[in-house]
């Protein structure tokens, strides 16, 4: 308890210091605005690799904004003068990432609407450095969007608008540059460095500014892209998100004849094998630690630049994931913990959870993270019960801070994970891992063994709850539940008291057999559906720790 208290105090102090530094920058800019002339033009419009939907552009033209799973009808008013449907909607609106849909159309009418919305934003929020519009991640996304889609905004623009656009862009870049050092480590800070590097080469600035932005980007890439190519957040989706920005940045450096930052190419080359590691048989990314749905065209737009090739690694030793794969079967296991409290803001309590895919189908998954849901659903998605692993006493293996000031970081729970990898002469591959997340509260260590045969048709699992050191008593009513979350496309059928059949739309089937136990099919929710939270099913195996401290389960593909 004392160590938890010290950890909380440290987090409070660090957050207070960051807030104070950013507050000082805001105050200074209010009274001492940036000096010097804004650049008078843009040199380039970097490519955007993200997917486009012309329907979204058509709707915006008639005053209907379809963002973050919600809709806003403006009836001729500026969207920035209306009450927005949700915080996620506000982030999407103020980030201007929707400009890519309009660039795909790029008619005079579309360009005029885009220009009007940008002008509205500049007039209403351009100097009001507060609220969602001026959160670091939103600013970074907006700068990248304005640079990348400047052709649609500036097409047919008068000189006065061009000058105002450039002045606002320069102001945002200056503000983001001044607060960048105060940001905590994580994906947001890296995206800020990407945006500043992109701005330094897309606008005419001093050579020293270009070099400084490149150095800082190099430093951030070195700190955040681990040697195995994963991101320090341990979120598989973060690798894809960052590549979608890093690839256009690299190409822009090359196109303009600038020296590419030394760490940029190396980081991209490391990230591709990590991306392939997390890719399932159906082409989607695994749902661990904040990952949500993946658009196939976005993933393919990134993978087509992959020059590293080769088979996925068996493990990511720095991010702490294990992968078992044979023929058309893939199984990925989370065997790690957050690398720091600050890096746990999107981390899930899913230690030792696994996902399994075969053929063109994902069968066993985690519930994933919702793209557009509010805080309460995001917190539910982070619970151990939303993962394909064992939950003890319906309690998550790691606990989140309830403080709104420091945010939902993990403050206690799993502190140590042991992992062993074995392969026998017959080609059977095995992972043995354990974590101490339940040791302090309940006195047990969860150990999970998963093995796959050489041809990928037989998977064996063994879950044990072992007494931790010093655990003398066992609560006679202590209950554990092993959960297997099933992808919504899979149909379940109770075959007998010990077996359930899982059938994919293309007819591929697997049996889950749990000897001497009763697997039960129950209702579930899938948080990571691209259209929003959707119903699904799960298989639960409940067992009394006092009577049966371990269970075995077998997954077999039907011939």
């Amino acid at each position: 308890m004392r160590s938890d208290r010290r950890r909380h105090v440290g987090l409070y102090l660090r957050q207070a210091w960051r807030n104070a530094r950013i507050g000082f920058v805001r105050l200074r800019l209010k009274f001492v605005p940036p000096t010097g002339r804004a650049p008078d033009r843009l040199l380039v419009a970097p490519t955007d690799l993200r997917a486009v939907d012309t329907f979204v552009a058509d709707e915006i033209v008639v005053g209907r904004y379809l963002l973050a799973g919600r809709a806003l009808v403006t009836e001729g008013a500026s969207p920035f003068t209306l009450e927005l449907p949700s915080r996620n909607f506000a982030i999407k609106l103020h980030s201007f990432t929707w400009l890519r849909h309009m660039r795909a159309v790029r008619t005079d009418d579309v360009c005029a609407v885009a220009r009007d919305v940008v002008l509205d934003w500049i007039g209403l929020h351009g100097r009001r450095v507060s609220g969602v519009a001026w959160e670091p991640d939103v600013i970074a996304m907006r700068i990248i969007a304005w640079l990348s889609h400047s052709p649609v905004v500036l097409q047919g623009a008068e000189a006065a608008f061009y000058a105002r656009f450039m002045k606002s862009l320069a102001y945002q870049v200056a503000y983001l540059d001044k607060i960048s050092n105060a940001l905590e480590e994580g994906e947001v800070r890296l995206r800020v460095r990407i945006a500043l590097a992109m701005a330094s080469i897309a606008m005419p600035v001093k050579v020293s500014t270009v070099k400084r932005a490149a150095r800082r980007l190099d430093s951030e890439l070195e700190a955040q892209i681990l040697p195995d190519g994963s991101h320090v957040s341990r979120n598989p989706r973060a690798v894809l998100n960052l590549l979608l920005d890093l690839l256009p940045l690299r190409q822009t450096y090359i196109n303009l004849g600038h020296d590419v930052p030394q760490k940029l190419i190396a980081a991209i080359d490391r990230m591709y094998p990590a991306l392939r590691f997390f890719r399932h048989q159906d082409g989607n990314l695994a749902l661990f630690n904040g990952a949500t749905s993946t658009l196939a065209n976005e993933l393919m737009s990134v993978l087509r630049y992959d020059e590293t090739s080769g088979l996925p690694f068996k493990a990511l030793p720095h991010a702490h994931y294990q992968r078992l794969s044979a023929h058309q079967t893939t199984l990925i296991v989370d065997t790690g913990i957050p690398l720091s409290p600050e890096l746990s803001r999107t981390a899930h309590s899913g230690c030792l959870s696994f996902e399994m895919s075969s053929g063109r189908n994902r069968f066993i998954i985690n519930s994933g993270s919702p793209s557009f849901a509010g805080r309460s659903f995001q917190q539910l998605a982070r619970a151990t019960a939303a993962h394909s692993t064992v939950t003890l006493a319906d309690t998550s293996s790691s606990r989140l801070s309830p403080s709104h000031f420091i945010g939902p970081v993990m403050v206690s729970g799993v502190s140590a994970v042991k992992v062993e990898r074995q392969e026998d002469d017959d080609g059977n591959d095995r992972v043995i891992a354990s974590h101490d997340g339940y040791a302090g509260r309940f006195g047990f260590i969860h150990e999970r063994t998963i093995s796959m045969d050489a041809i990928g048709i037989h998977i064996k699992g063994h879950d044990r709850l072992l007494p931790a050191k010093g655990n003398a008593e066992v609560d006679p009513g202590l209950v554990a539940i092993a959960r297997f979350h099933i992808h919504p496309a899979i149909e379940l059928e109770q075959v007998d008291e010990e077996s359930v059949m899982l059938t994919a739309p293309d007819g591929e089937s697997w049996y889950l057999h749990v000897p001497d136990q009763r697997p039960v099919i129950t209702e579930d929710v899938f948080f990571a559906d691209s259209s929003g939270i959707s119903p699904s099913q799960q298989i639960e195996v409940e067992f009394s720790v006092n009577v049966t401290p371990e269970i075995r389960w077998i997954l077999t593909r039907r011939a």
Side-chain angles (χ1 to χ4, degrees), residues 168-236:
S168 177
L169 191 55
Y171 185 84
Q172 295 174 60
V173 170
Y175 174 74
L176 197 60
D177 183 51
K178 290 183 181 298
I179 68 168
S180 58
N181 289 333
L183 303 177
E184 68 183 15
E185 184 182 16
E187 188 179 350
V188 170
R189 195 168 79 185
L190 180 49
R191 185 170 293 108
V192 164
R193 294 298 185 202
I194 293 170
L196 293 173
M198 190 174 288
S200 76
I201 57 176
M203 298 190 296
V205 297
K206 296 178 181 178
V207 174
S208 59
T209 301
V210 176
K211 291 183 177 179
R212 184 184 66 175
R215 285 197 306 270
R216 290 181 172 179
L217 176 62
D218 269 348
S219 177
E220 209 61 52
L221 288 170
E222 187 72 6
Q224 294 203 36
I225 305 304
L226 298 171
D228 59 21
S230 56
H231 183 252
V232 288
S233 66
R234 304 186 65 247
N235 180 347

Side-chain angles (χ1 to χ4, degrees), residues 62-140:
V62 296
R64 288 194 293 268
Y65 289 77
L66 308 177
L67 305 173
R70 307 293 290 273
L72 176 70
V73 180
T74 62
E75 296 182 347
S78 166
F80 303 110
T81 63
L82 304 175
E83 182 178 352
L84 302 181
S86 68
R87 171 177 164 79
N88 287 317
F89 186 100
I91 290 172
K92 291 290 185 182
L93 179 65
H94 285 282
S95 69
F96 282 82
T97 53
W98 46 267
L99 280 174
R100 69 180 185 271
H101 306 301
M102 307 192 79
R103 188 178 181 183
V105 180
R106 203 176 165 181
T107 62
D108 289 341
D109 288 345
V110 166
C111 293
V113 170
R115 192 158 51 251
D116 287 343
V117 179
V118 169
L119 196 59
D120 285 342
W121 187 91
I122 293 173
L124 294 167
H125 294 280
R127 293 293 176 130
R128 288 175 52 195
V129 187
S130 62
V132 171
W134 285 88
E135 291 179 1
D137 199 25
V138 177
I139 305 170

Side-chain angles (χ1 to χ4, degrees), residues 33-39 127 166-167 170-171 174 206:
T35 58
R37 292 182 57 187
R127 293 293 176 130
M166 293 303 301
K167 187 175 181 180
Y171 185 84
K206 296 178 181 178

Side-chain angles (χ1 to χ4, degrees), residues 213-363:
R215 285 197 306 270
R216 290 181 172 179
L217 176 62
D218 269 348
S219 177
E220 209 61 52
L221 288 170
E222 187 72 6
Q224 294 203 36
I225 305 304
L226 298 171
D228 59 21
S230 56
H231 183 252
V232 288
S233 66
R234 304 186 65 247
N235 180 347
R237 178 66 201 234
V239 179
L240 175 60
N241 290 341
L242 291 169
L243 281 171
L244 284 166
D245 288 328
L246 290 172
L247 289 169
L249 178 61
R250 179 185 65 178
Q251 194 58 44
T252 305
Y253 271 106
I254 294 171
N255 291 345
L256 294 177
H258 289 291
D259 292 333
V260 181
Q262 293 182 350
K263 306 295 184 182
L264 178 54
I265 294 177
I268 290 173
D269 287 345
R270 290 203 310 275
M271 293 169 77
Y272 270 119
L275 192 64
R276 291 199 305 273
F277 177 96
F278 289 119
R279 195 181 183 205
H280 272 299
Q281 294 295 130
D282 68 343
N284 283 277
L285 297 181
L287 300 173
F288 295 103
N289 293 301
T292 187
S293 60
T294 305
L295 294 176
N297 48 2
E298 284 190 346
L299 185 56
M300 291 310 300
S301 70
V302 166
L303 289 173
R304 68 190 176 117
Y305 293 99
D306 182 9
E307 298 176 355
T308 59
S309 65
L311 295 174
F313 298 140
K314 287 188 174 184
L316 294 181
H318 297 87
H320 304 289
Y321 286 96
Q322 300 288 325
R323 178 183 174 107
L324 305 175
S325 185
H327 293 262
Q328 294 297 307
T329 305
T330 294
L331 193 147
I332 305 171
V333 190
D334 180 355
T335 55
I337 57 176
L339 303 185
S340 73
E342 283 82 0
L343 291 171
S344 70
R345 292 191 183 279
T346 61
H348 287 202
S349 301
C351 191
L352 304 194
S353 65
F354 79 98
E355 295 196 338
M356 188 275 283
S357 62
S358 176
R360 295 181 177 274
N361 308 288
R362 281 181 291 169
F363 285 86

Side-chain angles (χ1 to χ4, degrees), residues 38-50:
D40 60 355
R41 68 191 190 282
L42 291 176
L43 301 177
V44 68
T47 305
D48 190 340
L49 298 178
R50 290 174 171 83

